[in-house]
Amino acid sequence: MAKEIYSKYPLIKYLRKEALPTALCPGCGGGTVLNAFANAVDQLKIDPKDLVVVSGIGCSAWIASPYFLADTLHTTHGRAIAFATGVKVGLPDKKVVVISGDGDLASIGGNHLIHAARRNIDITVILVNNFIYGMTGGQVAPTTPFGAKTTTSPYRNIEHPLQISETVAAAGASYVARWTTAHVYQLIESIKKALQVKGFSLVEVISQCPVQFGRRNQMKEPAEMLRWYLKNSVPISKAKNMSPEELEGKFVIGEFVNRERPEFVTELNKLIDEVQEHFGLKGESDGV
């Protein structure tokens, strides 16, 4: 029966069938993100052999590894972008993609995220933001909304969340967009753009976690969380004319930046060429 279901999925060729069904909780948004990524790869006709997909630790790290059929690195907590940086410098012709969660990439790995954007290295990051540490028990995270309840903030969270997309845009990324799992078609289009940008690109996906976040915040069903996203999503064009008070509890969606900036690996290889030429070593190395 399972094989019959999988055979009807048009993008099954991009997935590891032996790893299915997924270990994701019922209603998790991770499946939507995996589907959106597979659609983007398929529509751009990217050969998975040209991809290296990197993840860290956490629920969202499982999206790439073990489910996506490509070369994948399942790395240490918070270090996915550091590993991806090494891959891109060593294999500059590969498309390097990081898929992991907010706890992994924006908390434990926050410095790597900011400085990869500052360097503008040519990697794509799909950051799945479910507002919580899902795998380890539902603890409060740097992305948990103000007033929300978690296992470690059972009365309410008194901290304001890190605004990931705004921070990465300010750090210097070439492309930054934010969508929710209720905006699937827009999400696919942004992933496609991110994969084609020369430079650091971030697509933040606000994704439902009904098991750890939803049930503690009066949203036990995944559909309730999706309706919450739709009700509180504000296009960035409209958000620019709203006050901080009006934006409290809202999700600003859309493209934050799409610009050209010098890219790190390109500049690194230029520097290597300059140094080799200066010392009369030109032709002795192909750079990195």
Side-chain angles (χ1 to χ4, degrees), residues 1 13-14 17 23 73 79 107 112 118-120 123 129 153 155 161 188 198 204 215 235 237-238 244 249 258-259 275:
M1 178 62 72
K13 64 182 179 180
Y14 297 109
K17 286 180 277 190
L73 291 175
R79 308 297 176 240
S107 178
H112 293 301
R118 176 183 62 82
R119 294 185 182 103
N120 201 37
I123 61 177
N129 183 0
S153 58
Y155 299 104
I188 293 170
K198 184 71 170 178
E204 179 186 356
R215 67 189 176 97
S237 56
K238 182 178 179 180
N258 188 356
R259 59 196 172 194
V275 172

Side-chain angles (χ1 to χ4, degrees), residues 53-65 73-81 83 98-101 104-105 135:
V53 190
V54 186
S55 63
I57 298 297
C59 301
S60 301
W62 284 58
I63 294 170
S65 172
L73 291 175
H74 205 137
T75 69
T76 51
H77 200 10
R79 308 297 176 240
I81 290 175
F83 278 84
V98 175
I99 306 177
S100 214
D104 187 66
L105 295 177
M135 181 177 283

Side-chain angles (χ1 to χ4, degrees), residues 47-280:
D47 187 340
K49 293 179 181 178
D50 294 327
L51 283 169
V52 178
V53 190
V54 186
S55 63
I57 298 297
C59 301
S60 301
W62 284 58
I63 294 170
S65 172
Y67 302 123
F68 196 81
L69 185 57
D71 288 329
T72 56
L73 291 175
H74 205 137
T75 69
T76 51
H77 200 10
R79 308 297 176 240
I81 290 175
F83 278 84
T85 296
V87 172
K88 188 63 186 181
V89 171
L91 300 170
D93 293 333
K94 296 291 185 182
K95 282 194 177 294
V96 181
V97 181
V98 175
I99 306 177
S100 214
D102 54 299
D104 187 66
L105 295 177
S107 178
I108 302 295
N111 269 345
H112 293 301
L113 176 66
I114 292 169
H115 292 294
R118 176 183 62 82
R119 294 185 182 103
N120 201 37
I121 188 165
D122 188 21
I123 61 177
T124 296
V125 174
I126 301 173
L127 190 154
V128 185
N129 183 0
N130 59 13
F131 306 139
I132 205 162
Y133 286 104
M135 181 177 283
T136 53
Q139 297 90 343
V140 70
T143 51
T144 302
F146 181 79
K149 294 179 180 180
T150 71
T151 55
T152 50
S153 58
Y155 299 104
R156 64 183 175 91
N157 178 32
I158 60 170
E159 301 176 8
H160 288 272
L162 174 67
Q163 299 298 327
I164 296 172
S165 290
E166 291 86 341
T167 300
V168 172
S174 284
Y175 181 83
V176 177
R178 178 195 287 131
W179 299 102
T180 80
T181 46
H183 298 86
V184 179
Y185 291 107
Q186 297 94 324
L187 174 59
I188 293 170
E189 289 304 311
S190 277
I191 293 175
K192 286 165 61 178
K193 288 183 181 180
L195 288 169
Q196 296 176 90
V197 162
K198 184 71 170 178
F200 188 85
S201 56
L202 170 82
V203 179
E204 179 186 356
V205 190
I206 296 174
S207 176
Q208 72 273 18
C209 176
V211 172
Q212 296 287 20
F213 184 86
R215 67 189 176 97
R216 292 186 174 89
N217 292 278
Q218 291 76 54
M219 292 177 286
K220 293 182 180 180
E221 298 296 326
E224 292 180 85
M225 296 197 71
L226 293 173
R227 285 192 288 268
W228 178 47
Y229 295 160
L230 291 170
K231 181 180 178 181
N232 291 285
S233 291
V234 178
I236 190 169
S237 56
K238 182 178 179 180
K240 290 177 180 177
N241 299 315
M242 296 173 65
S243 68
E245 292 75 21
E246 291 174 314
L247 288 171
E248 186 69 47
K250 302 297 184 183
F251 311 118
V252 179
I253 57 172
E255 291 186 358
F256 288 77
V257 291
N258 188 356
R259 59 196 172 194
E260 293 185 10
R261 288 187 61 235
E263 190 273 328
F264 178 80
V265 177
T266 301
E267 295 303 310
L268 177 60
N269 281 316
K270 283 182 184 177
L271 177 60
I272 291 172
D273 289 342
E274 291 169 9
V275 172
Q276 288 178 337
E277 186 172 351
H278 178 76
F279 287 101

